[in-house]
Amino acid sequence: MIPEDVESFLSNIEEQEIVEAIRIAEDHTSGEIRVHIENTCNANVEKRALEVFSNLKMYNTADRNGVLIYVAVNDHKFGIYGDKGINNVVPKDFWNTTKTIIENHFKTGDFKQGLVDGILHAGQQLKVHFPIMDNDIDELPNTISKG
């Protein structure tokens, strides 16, 4: 069943599992991961992901290593936006495997698992370039934002 809006996209339990995946992923990297869900993007999905990234002030990390997984429920679109600290050190197709993991789950209607697996995979990729440091602090909230 395809959800009709943001509120029916994930259950409260599924949202908690996604937040836990963010916490687990960030245990291994100084990178910061967030998820934003809204009904429609009314624009190119990459452009909208950048707007949301900016609106959420995700650029406020010391290493500019924030990552946003953006989902437009009604448009059946999603995108991943990584800040310039990440994009300066990774190959151009860095996010393709993460996108494929999410997309494969989304195609079968398993939205929660797509996000969980995508977040955990992104965390594994990020730890190569941004390993966790002893003095690491959680710079962004580990929450799902909605628009």
Side-chain angles (χ1 to χ4, degrees):
M1 181 175 165
I2 298 174
E4 296 179 17
D5 59 23
V6 170
E7 294 309 316
S8 63
F9 185 67
L10 299 166
S11 71
N12 289 337
I13 292 171
E14 289 173 324
E15 287 187 13
Q16 291 171 11
E17 290 178 43
I18 291 166
V19 170
E20 179 64 9
I22 293 169
R23 189 196 61 74
I24 290 168
E26 290 182 1
D27 276 349
H28 304 286
T29 178
S30 64
E32 296 286 333
I33 302 170
R34 292 204 62 191
V35 173
H36 180 82
I37 303 168
E38 60 187 20
N39 286 324
T40 60
C41 65
N42 296 323
N44 171 288
V45 70
E46 287 81 17
K47 181 179 178 184
R48 181 62 185 144
L50 172 57
E51 289 173 357
V52 171
F53 187 93
S54 181
N55 291 343
L56 294 174
K57 297 181 176 22
M58 290 185 63
Y59 48 79
N60 283 339
T61 60
D63 294 327
R64 297 295 300 262
N65 58 357
V67 176
L68 176 67
I69 299 175
Y70 169 84
V71 180
V73 176
N74 291 340
D75 297 332
H76 307 283
K77 294 180 182 178
F78 76 95
I80 301 174
Y81 183 82
D83 205 349
K84 71 178 186 178
I86 295 167
N87 292 333
N88 287 342
V89 297
V90 299
K92 186 176 179 176
D93 63 349
F94 184 70
W95 295 115
N96 287 351
T97 54
T98 303
K99 286 181 181 178
T100 299
I101 288 167
I102 295 170
E103 184 176 50
N104 288 339
H105 285 292
F106 278 20
K107 284 179 180 176
T108 64
D110 197 349
F111 305 108
K112 183 269 305 184
Q113 199 60 50
L115 291 170
V116 166
D117 288 356
I119 290 163
L120 295 175
H121 186 264
Q124 289 297 314
Q125 290 180 300
L126 286 171
K127 82 176 187 178
V128 172
H129 299 282
F130 298 97
I132 193 85
M133 302 296 198
D134 289 338
N135 62 347
D136 185 70
I137 58 168
D138 203 357
E139 297 174 281
L140 298 174
N142 295 342
T143 58
I144 298 172
S145 58
K146 297 178 182 177

